[in-house]
């Protein structure tokens, strides 16, 4: 499966249809919810279970970039009922009037949420009025153990030097480097790597971060935000700057394929970004009632635990933790300990001017011009 742009999940849809026809329910009466989520971000069984429990059909599309989601939301009329922007995008979108307040009376399972996470995301959504956390994670390095060792036997894998030092990147060019195609995921992490404020809006600082990437640009095979999962798993690339759970999914795919590739996730010692992906309902959502039913279902402890177990991301639901596999809950790369948490920064929303200059810098890097 590849994941660029929209993909419609037909599995849940067709199973639902079969069930409904068997029950003799006329199609016109069928309720539905349209969900737009990140790729590789759910166990699809959850969608079929939701339909089984509520009779609501799920139309499920995926994206791999906040910018793509934002363009649809700002244009209006996206047709989606539930969307999943990352915190700093959510904040700007709330201000732009894109979302409706959640009706908490329809979300009894909200009591399962984790106050620690709800407090953190309140910087994006004061009072937690518009959104609840779906998953959260970090941004770091995924690498192929043998391929890196072969080329850089003495370079530690617990530092961003592994990728950001031009002499290292040059040695990894032949085995393949991919980087997220996301300015807001990459540039702030480089600012922190340089010892600067990751939330700096100073043009000079942002240019310094861009220069780090420009120096290794000739060695980067591709900027892409989902292809690196399979590319790492299959040994087509040896390093990716990507998202924690995606890299851990690559590690399990390689393990399952028994293809001889061992993939690791490194949360480098310089520290990195911690981000939160949030469930929200657009103001013009066609199925508001069903959107709430879907979000409430996702806040069931067993349900969201099943998602975390499948995608290797931490969620914002405290009650779910007793249903999460020990190997996930105890993995410091997924549920970081206190010491690691201290090294993680959160990105605050950019104002429109900073966003424009970040986008300009990014386009220049990606297109290599
Ligand atoms: C899931 C990607 C995680 C989303 N494939 C990063 N915000």
């Amino acid at each position: 499966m590849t994941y660029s742009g929209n993909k419609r999940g037909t599995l849940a849809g067709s199973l639902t249809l079969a069930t409904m026809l068997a029950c003799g329910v006329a199609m016109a009466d069928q309720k539905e919810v349209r969900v737009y989520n990140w790729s590789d971000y759910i166990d699809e069984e959850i969608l079929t279970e939701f339909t089984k429990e509520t009779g609501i059909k799920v139309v499920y599309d995926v994206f791999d970039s906040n910018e793509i989601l934002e363009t649809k939301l700002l244009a209006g009329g996206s047709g989606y009922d539930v969307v999943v922007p990352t915190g700093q995008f959510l904040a700007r979108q709330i201000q732009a009037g894109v979302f409706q307040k959640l009706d908490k009376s329809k979300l009894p399972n909200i009591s399962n949420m984790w106050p620690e996470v709800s407090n953190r995301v309140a910087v994006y959504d004061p009072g937690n009025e518009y959104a609840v956390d779906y998953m959260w994670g970090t941004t770091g390095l995924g690498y192929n153990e043998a391929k890196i060792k072969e080329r850089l036997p003495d370079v530690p894998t617990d530092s961003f030097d592994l990728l950001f030092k031009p002499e290292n990147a040059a040695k990894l060019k032949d085995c393949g480097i991919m980087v997220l195609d996301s300015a807001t995921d990459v540039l702030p992490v480089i600012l922190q790597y340089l010892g600067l404020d990751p939330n700096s809006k100073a043009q000079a600082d942002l240019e310094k971060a861009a220069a780090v990437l420009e120096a290794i640009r000739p060695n980067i095979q591709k900027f892409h935000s989902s292809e690196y999962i399979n590319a790492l798993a299959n040994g087509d690339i040896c390093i990716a700057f990507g998202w924690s759970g995606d890299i851990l999914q690559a590690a399990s795919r390689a393990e399952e394929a028994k293809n001889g590739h061992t993939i690791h996730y490194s949360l480098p010692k310089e520290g990195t970004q911690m981000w939160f992906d949030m469930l929200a309902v657009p103001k013009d959502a066609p199925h508001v009632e069903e959107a709430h039913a879907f979000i409430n279902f996702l806040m069931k402890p067993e349900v969201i635990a099943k998602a975390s177990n499948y995608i290797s991301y931490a969620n914002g639901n405290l009650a779910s933790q007793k249903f999460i596999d020990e190997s996930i809950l105890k993995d410091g790369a997924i549920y970081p300990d206190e010491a690691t948490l201290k090294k993680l920064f959160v990105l605050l929303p950019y104002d429109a001017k900073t966003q424009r200059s970040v986008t300009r810098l990014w386009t220049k890097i990606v297109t290599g011009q």
Side-chain angles (χ1 to χ4, degrees):
M1 252 177 154
T2 54
Y3 295 98
S4 48
N6 289 359
K7 293 280 180 299
R8 188 146 285 184
T10 48
L11 175 72
S14 48
L15 285 183
T16 310
L17 183 62
T19 318
M20 295 316 256
L21 288 179
C23 299
V25 177
M27 265 186 70
D29 294 339
Q30 173 144 38
K31 291 184 177 173
E32 68 174 26
V33 63
R34 298 185 180 201
V35 180
Y36 197 37
N37 195 3
W38 294 81
S39 52
D40 299 285
Y41 221 28
I42 199 147
D43 178 343
E44 287 212 7
E45 275 180 26
I46 291 173
L47 308 179
T48 30
E49 283 162 11
F50 172 73
T51 304
K52 215 165 122 195
E53 188 171 304
T54 62
I56 302 168
K57 169 185 155 188
V58 184
V59 177
Y60 192 81
D61 290 347
V62 299
F63 59 88
D64 67 5
S65 131
N66 270 302
E67 286 79 3
I68 291 178
L69 170 61
E70 181 157 280
T71 305
K72 283 194 203 283
L73 290 174
L74 295 179
S78 69
Y80 291 115
D81 302 304
V82 178
V83 296
V84 196
T86 305
Q88 71 275 13
F89 283 81
L90 171 88
R92 255 208 328 256
Q93 292 156 2
I94 290 174
Q95 276 164 20
V98 158
F99 298 118
Q100 53 184 282
K101 285 189 184 163
L102 295 174
D103 180 347
K104 304 264 173 85
S105 72
K106 298 197 169 115
L107 302 173
N109 291 334
I110 209 160
S111 59
N112 296 320
M113 295 305 282
W114 192 357
E116 178 96 18
V117 171
S118 308
N119 289 340
R120 281 188 184 235
V121 299
V123 299
Y124 306 117
D125 170 21
N128 303 117
E129 287 187 306
Y130 289 89
V132 294
D133 181 62
Y134 176 59
M135 295 285 158
W136 54 275
T138 55
T139 308
L141 298 176
Y143 65 94
N144 181 309
E145 187 182 271
K147 286 177 192 273
I148 297 289
K149 213 178 202 146
E150 200 175 280
R151 288 162 181 83
L152 297 169
D154 303 320
V155 176
T157 50
D158 68 345
S159 165
F160 276 119
D161 284 347
L162 179 63
L163 176 66
F164 294 147
K165 280 208 162 154
E167 62 270 31
N168 292 342
K171 293 224 173 77
L172 301 177
K173 180 179 184 170
D174 77 300
C175 60
I177 301 174
M178 277 194 194
V179 173
L180 289 174
D181 185 5
S182 167
T184 52
D185 279 285
V186 185
L187 294 177
V189 174
I190 302 183
L191 286 172
Q192 163 125 333
Y193 166 74
L194 292 173
L196 299 166
D197 173 7
N199 271 298
S200 174
K201 295 176 173 58
Q203 183 69 14
D205 287 350
L206 293 165
E207 280 173 13
K208 279 183 203 153
V212 169
L213 222 45
E214 261 150 20
I216 63 164
R217 176 69 183 93
N219 302 309
I220 297 174
Q221 181 179 316
K222 197 167 188 177
F223 288 89
H224 199 280
S225 299
S226 49
E227 276 181 17
Y228 66 97
I229 306 182
N230 279 336
L232 269 178
N234 299 335
D236 296 335
I237 57 168
C238 56
I239 192 162
F241 181 102
W243 292 305
S244 46
D246 287 19
I247 290 163
L248 294 164
Q249 288 177 54
S252 2
R253 285 183 204 178
E255 215 175 297
E256 276 157 28
K258 296 199 180 26
N259 60 11
H261 296 297
T262 306
I263 311 302
H264 295 293
Y265 176 62
S266 163
L267 199 162
K269 61 169 192 241
E270 293 88 0
T272 189
Q273 183 171 176
M274 174 186 204
W275 44 259
F276 300 84
D277 289 337
M278 309 294 298
L279 297 160
V281 182
K283 202 167 241 171
D284 56 6
H287 311 98
V288 175
E289 189 73 29
E290 291 81 359
H292 283 80
F294 188 74
I295 293 174
N296 195 47
F297 186 76
L298 285 182
M299 290 191 297
K300 278 188 170 190
E302 318 83 276
V303 170
I304 200 68
K306 186 178 173 120
S308 282
N309 288 338
Y310 193 84
I311 62 177
S312 296
Y313 282 102
N315 66 55
N317 187 305
L318 186 58
S320 76
Q321 294 188 1
K322 59 175 180 294
F323 301 102
I324 293 180
D325 297 341
E326 188 96 324
S327 61
I328 304 261
L329 198 59
K330 295 272 151 66
D331 186 336
I334 306 176
Y335 281 89
D337 57 25
E338 278 304 315
T340 313
L341 274 176
K342 286 207 176 70
K343 293 196 294 187
L344 303 178
F345 69 85
V346 295
L347 191 62
L348 303 172
Y350 288 144
D351 53 87
K353 183 170 161 270
T354 311
Q355 183 65 43
R356 270 198 303 278
S357 94
V358 164
T359 307
R360 243 196 323 270
L361 280 171
W362 190 254
T363 311
K364 205 167 148 256
I365 296 165
V366 172
T367 58
Q369 276 151 25

